[in-house]
Amino acid sequence: MTHSGLTGHELIGYLLSGSVWLAAGALIGTLHFLMLQWNVSMVAAFTAIGNSAHSFRADCRRTRRHNQVFWRLAAARRHRWHSGHADRHRSIGGATMIGSPLATKTLFTVGPVPITEPVVATWGLMAALTLAGWLATRSLTLRPSRYQAVIELVVGAIEDQVQSTMRVAPKVYVPIIGTLFLFILTANWSSLVPGVEPPTAHIETDAALGLIVLFAIVYFGIRARGFGGYLKTFAEPSIVMVPLNVVETFTRTFSLIVRLFGNVMSGVFIIGIILSLAGLLVPIPLMALELLVGAIQAYIFTVLAMVFIGSAVSEGRGDGGKEREGS
Amino acid sequence: MNWVEIVSIFAAAMAVSFGAIGPALGEGRAVAAAMDAIARQPEAAGTISRTLFVGLAMIETMAIYCLVIALLVLFANPFIH
């Protein structure tokens, strides 16, 4: 039942350093605010461009108003069922965006900083995970209780997964990988709580997670190979590949972000559409499917993070790098 | 109705419909190959199906990208209003 090579002190160490990473994630998570601002201003800028590009829109104002009335009716119908998503009408740069999956809802403001729904959900999840970790490690015994056995099983499974994917000693990487996995899993499954929308269904949260992975790649790469050694990995097969490798570092992070966002958001969106069309019990099979998708996406995100970090740490050790051994 | 809106709706529909074809074919091939492998080596079914699920989700992501583009065109279209 319990993982053999895992003592209580290691468990405490994992959870402590996991919470350190989580705190780092919280710091990066404050990028939510900035990105929200950026998002809004980007939409405003785009709408301004669109406005100047289409001076003929005055001719079509009547038809558009008719169109907006139609969308409002549809949205009102949806909101009757889905009160958790109510009040999604918002005016950004004068554009009425109804039921847009890209908009976030501001709950309250702390000074000049607007606190949005996904931020509150994120911090609630972080508090819940930290509380669970604290409760789990408060009374560790050699003969584990049921709760401790479950926790040890989870930590041991993550450790095995890191070991088998990255092929390095997992001790350093388990905290961040495990924290990422548990956070994304609970975030994806938080839609089970009525009225809570998964924070990963908004691109700001996923962008924060992707940035954490990007920083972790650079951090572990430099830690394992030194600064110059890490920079050298960009010119790995030949010097010609440098721009490609640099671009790849960012595009793979971007695809990581969009993958998680698209999958979770499409689930929420499709359930919303089904709810607006059909009654109360119809979307339940789709919600079950969403649970599966959420688990798989959490797994994929962490596996890809492991692969990226592992390639930064041990790149070239397999076939091409016989001339130099990192660390 | 505005031309931009008409074109946007068609663009969204085409993005989703044509974007679904490739991943559908790819997923079919992946599942067929996995079935073949499991039939040949039933003892490796666990590893194969785990890899299959991850691969399917990666392929499906291509279709999800198209969905994201379609939703962008529908809901965050820079040229409407």
Side-chain angles (χ1 to χ4, degrees), chain A residues 46 51 64 67 255 262 266 300, chain B residues 2 5 57 64-65 67 78 81:
Chain A
F46 274 164
N51 277 344
R64 184 176 305 119
N67 190 22
S255 82
S266 68
I300 286 179
Chain B
N2 194 338
E5 292 173 3
I64 298 278
Y65 287 162
L67 180 70
H81 212 5

Side-chain angles (χ1 to χ4, degrees), chain B residues 31-42 44-45 48:
Chain B
V31 172
M35 288 288 156
D36 199 29
I38 290 177
R40 279 168 200 271
Q41 261 189 313
I48 291 173

Side-chain angles (χ1 to χ4, degrees), chain A residues 211-264:
Chain A
L211 280 180
I212 291 176
V213 173
L214 185 64
F215 286 140
I217 292 169
V218 176
Y219 169 72
F220 284 121
I222 291 177
R223 188 171 171 276
R225 325 177 59 113
F227 189 68
Y230 177 67
L231 284 186
K232 251 180 234 166
T233 60
F234 284 101
E236 196 53 63
S238 76
I239 196 78
V240 188
M241 297 292 282
V242 169
L244 226 63
N245 280 334
V246 171
V247 167
E248 189 212 5
T249 307
F250 293 103
T251 51
R252 67 187 183 187
T253 310
F254 185 70
S255 82
L256 205 62
I257 294 168
V258 177
R259 179 179 298 119
L260 184 60
F261 164 67
N263 277 287
V264 181

Side-chain angles (χ1 to χ4, degrees), chain A residues 128-212:
Chain A
L129 283 176
T130 312
L131 190 69
W134 180 70
L135 285 179
T137 49
R138 213 169 35 141
S139 57
L140 289 176
T141 51
L142 209 57
R143 184 182 169 77
S145 63
R146 190 172 294 187
Y147 188 50
Q148 186 186 341
V150 170
I151 297 287
E152 282 186 15
L153 196 68
V154 170
V155 175
I158 293 171
E159 203 177 31
D160 285 348
Q161 196 63 240
V162 173
Q163 172 84 53
S164 68
T165 308
M166 294 175 67
R167 310 217 172 272
V168 287
K171 192 157 287 182
V172 193
Y173 307 103
V174 167
I176 179 169
I177 298 295
T179 310
L180 272 179
F181 177 72
L182 290 178
F183 176 75
I184 297 174
L185 185 71
T186 44
N188 287 351
W189 282 4
S190 65
S191 59
L192 288 179
V193 181
V196 176
E197 207 175 344
T200 39
H202 294 280
I203 200 163
E204 293 89 2
T205 314
D206 304 322
L209 290 169
L211 280 180
I212 291 176

